[in-house]
Amino acid sequence: MSVAISPLAPKKQPKMPALDGVRIATAQAGVKYKGRTDVLAMVFDEGTTAAGVFTRSKCPSAPVEFCRNNLAGGAARILVVNSGNANAFTGRKGRETTTKVGEAASKAVGASVGEVFMASTGVIGEPLPAERITASLDGMVKAARPEGWLEAAQAIMTTDTYPKVATAMVKLGEVDVTINGIAKGAGMIAPDMATMLSFVVTDAPIAAPVLQELLSKGTGKTFNAVTVDSDTSTSDTLMMFATGAAARRGAPVIEDARDARLSGLRRALNRVLKNLALQVVRDGEGARKQVEITVTGAKSARSAKKIALSIANSPLVKTAVAGEDANWGRVVMAVGKAGEPADRDLISIWFGDIRVAHEGERDAAYSEEAASAYMKRDEIVLRVDLGIGRGKATVWTCDLTKEYVAINGDYRS
Amino acid sequence: MSVAISPLAPKKQPKMPALDGVRIATAQAGVKYKGRTDVLAMVFDEGTTAAGVFTRSKCPSAPVEFCRNNLAGGAARILVVNSGNANAFTGRKGRETTTKVGEAASKAVGASVGEVFMASTGVIGEPLPAERITASLDGMVKAARPEGWLEAAQAIMTTDTYPKVATAMVKLGEVDVTINGIAKGAGMIAPDMATMLSFVVTDAPIAAPVLQELLSKGTGKTFNAVTVDSDTSTSDTLMMFATGAAARRGAPVIEDARDARLSGLRRALNRVLKNLALQVVRDGEGARKQVEITVTGAKSARSAKKIALSIANSPLVKTAVAGEDANWGRVVMAVGKAGEPADRDLISIWFGDIRVAHEGERDAAYSEEAASAYMKRDEIVLRVDLGIGRGKATVWTCDLTKEYVAINGDYRS
């Protein structure tokens, strides 16, 4: 496991405010790691609504199936997350574990099992020792307090080199509401989604179907637009909870996704989601550079995103960035392999403001020195214009370094 | 560029026999490299037929477009290949270059431009100095001789650490015919196809449409079943030429793909193609291990191949193999992300003969020590049974090591 903090880590973390209607506890349950917290509980007030977006893997983890089942109810009283073991590909034992944890958690908060949500991250294929988690639950629920968001983010880390938190305050009606989010993820990161766990909580009073729509739409240009290594986890979970506590301060209860009063909250939520998603990229295993890739002039937005992800996932593009080489030939290769409509002789490519290729050829005016100097930055912006339509998309990734190989060739042993 | 020879290189190369109807020459044209050959010419007797399979990239190189155009004629008199520059993404200049080389080559052999084929491999996006190649052509055609297959393979190498040749002899009717092949490729290798060039020649008399069918069908389980890094080149070219010279020794002329006399030749060709394709994998940039991945029990053969390639292209699976870790959890992840029909609780996984997972869970009988010992081998066989159908496919790849990153972070500069 990596020890040094990513050089792309945020210089400072925001101070995370307490949020009405949710209390937090963490514990050292010893699921796998020693000497660190590895279980998180978030306890929600009655009336909290829930929404979720999960991995599209055909082999999802037991907790993902558990959450999908409970989401139909739209109500949440407790979230239990552990690190160190993903409880994925654990068959019948996996379901027994989620049942045990679900029952213990529901008892601890005095709610139904249908109001429990959970997530697990870590090794795949090893049975999860449920009793280590259930043994801690009563104490955690009692000890839970409104503060502790950074500690929450720390408890769910695996190969992450720093905890990921984000917060925003925004008006809903006349009332200030807060959105707090945490995330974990460093490898096995690809859209739809990745061993990426993220939990966002607001005190705004929002009905579950509205919350679901906000969250689902918000992921397209945030969590579903980042990739570290194209590998999709069995456990990806992004959940959002709305405690509704702000209603007591006069915030309007939102029951329709078309409600105009939502617009500020929607933008603030999308900022929080993007902030967390980029923190995941910036903690990409072995990452030394963040790469933003924008494709314009594609046949459609969908086509632009497919091409952008083909570039973002290309090992040859990613190693070139690691080598600080403005190797736009590999970008062309990645455009070509995407299989989407493109006309080779109309393509232009920029690294930052430097146009390196124009209409299918090297740009005669481009200076290799300027491009090389640009590539030394730790944030690289790459743009490709296809010149055939109006489709546009932006995705984010990181470079592929020897450290990625070291971290992943050595993780389990 | 890498200097050490891949540890997976064949212990010895076969002696390549001369082949009636084709003569070979190589030259140091100084396209990019100094002190080594970088141009290959194969001169064919009149009556030689041609077939080809090319990259599916939407941004193919100028030589690929040139060959596609000429293939309609089905006749070949000369093949010109250079290394060091791919003549890809070179726009109008690229077409001018293929025109110049095409005209010079046709003049040198006294044939039409439509009987010229060419391929280029190396850097993308740099104009190819055609005159360095055309200046050598007359001399090369004069100097060409029946021997020199290994030298031919050497002249087309880029990041390859060893030349790749294969040969087979087989009866066509009552007459011995020969199949000789060469290949290059080490990175940017993925099905359909890769910066992979391969040229196969036989003295068997085979009509062009039959040759095309033999070659197209032969690639599915050979060149289109290998991947190094999922990156598809703009230049992939596999061509086959049949000089027909064996007809003078009494070999029957084959004009129908259903001709029963073809069966031995078809099998021999497929062996040569597979041999060359595996040599490409075994020279995968930074490769230390060959990995054979077989998926059985899938819904269809197509589905099995998609899942097998998802496993083969997963950076996390490939780094685990590099780390000699039997991390079958990552195999499950890769099955899940393929998006093909699968039932998590029916999946079984083997490393070699060791069943590590059965019906969706860790196999209780499996010994981690035995699996670890197995992973130290340099040829790893990985099998996944999905248990839902009869679809089956095998693909080959290599591990992902720090050397891959070093080679590709440093290639152009």
Side-chain angles (χ1 to χ4, degrees):
Chain A
M1 203 170 306
S2 182
V3 274
I5 290 172
S6 165
L8 302 176
K11 297 295 167 258
K12 59 189 270 254
Q13 297 280 11
K15 200 177 142 36
M16 298 292 290
L19 201 151
D20 285 348
V22 56
R23 293 173 300 123
I24 292 171
T26 60
Q28 297 192 14
V31 170
K32 174 170 189 279
Y33 308 126
K34 306 289 167 206
R36 56 158 278 190
T37 56
D38 58 355
V39 183
L40 159 69
M42 284 194 185
V43 182
F44 304 109
D45 283 358
E46 271 188 75
T48 297
T49 57
V53 179
F54 301 94
T55 180
R56 288 188 198 158
S57 172
K58 297 287 178 183
C59 301
S61 68
V64 164
E65 293 191 332
F66 182 92
C67 289
R68 278 203 180 110
N69 282 340
N70 283 357
L71 209 55
R77 291 297 308 285
I78 184 167
L79 167 74
V80 181
V81 188
N82 74 277
S83 56
N85 186 314
N87 193 18
F89 209 58
T90 42
R92 192 176 40 77
K93 289 193 200 80
R95 284 185 292 276
E96 286 168 10
T97 302
T98 53
T99 303
K100 278 184 204 160
V101 174
E103 282 169 359
S106 75
K107 215 176 286 174
V109 288
S112 82
V113 173
E115 294 169 301
V116 175
F117 292 89
M118 65 181 75
S120 298
T121 176
V123 172
I124 300 178
E126 306 286 338
L128 172 66
E131 61 291 349
R132 294 195 196 158
I133 297 170
T134 54
S136 310
L137 275 175
D138 277 334
M140 290 176 78
V141 169
K142 286 198 185 83
R145 58 199 173 85
E147 295 80 29
W149 286 87
L150 192 65
E151 291 80 357
Q154 278 160 340
I156 65 173
M157 286 165 59
T158 56
T159 55
D160 304 64
T161 72
Y162 58 88
K164 297 161 186 69
V165 296
T167 184
M169 189 171 279
V170 65
K171 285 258 191 276
L172 181 64
E174 303 298 310
V175 175
D176 282 329
V177 298
T178 300
I179 303 171
N180 278 359
I182 64 173
K184 67 82 47 177
M188 210 186 276
I189 299 293
D192 313 322
M193 298 170 49
T195 299
M196 205 285 307
L197 301 184
S198 183
F199 307 101
V200 178
V201 187
T202 181
D203 52 359
I206 302 176
V210 180
L211 198 67
Q212 185 63 49
E213 183 166 331
L214 279 174
L215 191 66
S216 297
K217 288 211 173 145
T219 53
K221 294 187 174 184
T222 60
F223 278 110
N224 278 346
V226 298
T227 176
V228 167
D229 54 14
S230 81
D231 275 343
T232 306
S233 151
T234 55
S235 308
D236 298 329
T237 299
L238 166 61
M239 290 200 71
M240 183 165 180
F241 303 95
T243 69
R248 293 197 296 269
R249 301 196 312 270
V253 178
I254 306 294
E255 293 183 313
D256 184 340
R258 291 162 303 180
D259 194 317
R261 292 170 296 185
L262 265 184
S263 60
L265 188 138
R266 182 185 285 114
R267 280 196 302 273
L269 171 63
N270 290 348
R271 273 201 309 277
V272 167
L273 294 175
K274 183 172 167 185
N275 182 323
L276 291 170
L278 286 185
Q279 286 194 58
V280 169
V281 164
R282 295 176 74 87
D283 204 9
E285 287 167 344
R288 293 293 172 268
K289 293 176 194 291
Q290 174 184 302
V291 190
E292 177 179 299
I293 298 164
T294 297
V295 171
T296 58
K299 189 137 191 194
S300 66
R302 196 202 58 78
S303 179
K305 190 162 180 184
K306 203 169 160 204
I307 292 170
L309 284 171
S310 175
I311 300 168
N313 282 322
S314 160
L316 287 170
V317 171
K318 292 159 76 81
T319 49
V321 173
E324 304 192 332
D325 178 9
N327 194 325
W328 55 272
R330 294 184 184 173
V331 177
V332 178
M333 176 281 297
V335 172
K337 82 166 177 167
E340 291 295 309
D343 179 336
R344 188 189 65 198
D345 297 343
L346 295 178
I347 296 174
S348 297
I349 300 172
W350 291 257
F351 282 91
D353 291 332
I354 304 163
R355 191 175 69 185
V356 293
H358 185 52
E359 294 184 348
E361 289 188 51
R362 182 169 67 187
D363 189 326
Y366 121 74
S367 134
E368 192 137 356
E369 291 78 56
S372 294
Y374 179 76
M375 295 304 290
K376 297 201 187 304
R377 300 190 185 191
D378 65 6
E379 293 190 13
I380 304 294
V381 176
L382 171 54
R383 182 156 80 85
V384 177
D385 186 75
L386 298 178
I388 59 169
R390 297 166 60 85
K392 187 179 160 176
T394 298
V395 306
W396 293 269
T397 188
C398 57
D399 56 346
L400 171 58
T401 65
K402 292 175 201 171
E403 286 71 27
Y404 177 88
V405 179
I407 292 166
N408 285 300
D410 230 31
Y411 173 78
R412 216 179 63 135
S413 18
Chain B
M1 202 170 307
S2 181
V3 275
I5 290 171
S6 165
L8 303 175
K11 297 298 168 259
K12 58 188 270 255
Q13 297 281 10
K15 199 174 144 36
M16 298 293 288
L19 199 151
D20 285 347
V22 57
R23 292 174 301 124
I24 292 171
T26 59
Q28 298 192 13
V31 170
K32 174 169 187 279
Y33 308 126
K34 306 290 167 204
R36 57 158 279 191
T37 55
D38 58 356
V39 182
L40 159 68
M42 284 193 185
V43 182
F44 304 109
D45 283 358
E46 270 187 74
T48 296
T49 58
V53 179
F54 302 94
T55 180
R56 287 188 199 159
S57 171
K58 298 286 178 183
C59 302
S61 69
V64 164
E65 293 192 330
F66 182 92
C67 289
R68 278 204 180 109
N69 281 339
N70 283 357
L71 209 55
R77 291 298 308 286
I78 185 167
L79 166 73
V80 181
V81 187
N82 74 277
S83 56
N85 185 314
N87 193 19
F89 208 58
T90 42
R92 189 176 42 78
K93 290 193 199 79
R95 285 186 291 277
E96 286 167 9
T97 302
T98 53
T99 303
K100 276 184 204 161
V101 174
E103 283 169 1
S106 77
K107 216 176 284 176
V109 288
S112 81
V113 173
E115 295 168 303
V116 176
F117 292 89
M118 65 180 77
S120 298
T121 176
V123 173
I124 300 177
E126 306 286 339
L128 173 65
E131 62 290 349
R132 292 195 198 159
I133 297 171
T134 56
S136 310
L137 276 175
D138 276 335
M140 290 175 79
V141 169
K142 287 198 185 83
R145 58 201 174 81
E147 295 78 31
W149 286 87
L150 193 64
E151 291 80 357
Q154 279 160 339
I156 65 173
M157 286 165 60
T158 57
T159 54
D160 303 65
T161 71
Y162 59 86
K164 297 160 186 71
V165 296
T167 183
M169 189 171 278
V170 66
K171 285 258 192 274
L172 181 64
E174 303 298 310
V175 175
D176 281 330
V177 297
T178 300
I179 303 171
N180 278 358
I182 63 173
K184 67 82 48 176
M188 209 185 276
I189 300 293
D192 311 323
M193 296 168 52
T195 298
M196 203 288 306
L197 301 183
S198 182
F199 307 101
V200 178
V201 187
T202 179
D203 52 359
I206 301 175
V210 180
L211 199 66
Q212 184 64 50
E213 183 166 330
L214 280 173
L215 190 66
S216 297
K217 289 213 172 141
T219 54
K221 294 188 173 183
T222 59
F223 278 110
N224 279 346
V226 298
T227 177
V228 166
D229 53 15
S230 82
D231 275 344
T232 306
S233 149
T234 55
S235 309
D236 298 330
T237 299
L238 166 62
M239 290 200 71
M240 183 167 180
F241 304 95
T243 69
R248 293 196 297 268
R249 300 197 311 269
V253 177
I254 306 295
E255 292 182 315
D256 183 340
R258 292 161 303 180
D259 193 317
R261 292 170 296 185
L262 266 184
S263 61
L265 188 138
R266 182 183 286 112
R267 280 196 302 273
L269 171 62
N270 290 348
R271 274 200 309 276
V272 167
L273 294 175
K274 183 172 168 187
N275 181 323
L276 291 171
L278 286 184
Q279 287 195 57
V280 169
V281 164
R282 297 176 73 87
D283 205 9
E285 287 167 344
R288 293 292 172 269
K289 292 178 194 290
Q290 174 185 303
V291 190
E292 178 179 300
I293 298 164
T294 297
V295 171
T296 57
K299 188 136 191 194
S300 67
R302 196 200 58 78
S303 179
K305 190 162 180 183
K306 204 170 158 202
I307 291 169
L309 285 171
S310 175
I311 299 168
N313 282 323
S314 160
L316 287 169
V317 171
K318 292 159 76 81
T319 48
V321 173
E324 304 191 332
D325 177 8
N327 193 323
W328 55 271
R330 295 185 183 174
V331 176
V332 179
M333 176 282 298
V335 172
K337 82 165 178 168
E340 291 294 310
D343 179 337
R344 187 188 65 196
D345 296 343
L346 295 177
I347 296 175
S348 298
I349 300 172
W350 291 257
F351 282 91
D353 291 333
I354 305 163
R355 192 174 69 184
V356 293
H358 185 50
E359 294 183 349
E361 291 187 50
R362 184 170 64 185
D363 189 325
Y366 120 75
S367 133
E368 192 137 357
E369 291 77 55
S372 294
Y374 179 76
M375 294 305 289
K376 297 201 186 304
R377 300 191 185 191
D378 65 7
E379 293 188 15
I380 304 293
V381 176
L382 169 54
R383 182 156 80 85
V384 177
D385 186 74
L386 298 178
I388 60 168
R390 297 168 59 85
K392 186 179 159 178
T394 297
V395 306
W396 293 269
T397 189
C398 56
D399 56 345
L400 172 57
T401 66
K402 293 176 199 169
E403 287 71 28
Y404 177 87
V405 179
I407 292 166
N408 286 299
D410 231 33
Y411 173 77
R412 216 179 62 135
S413 18

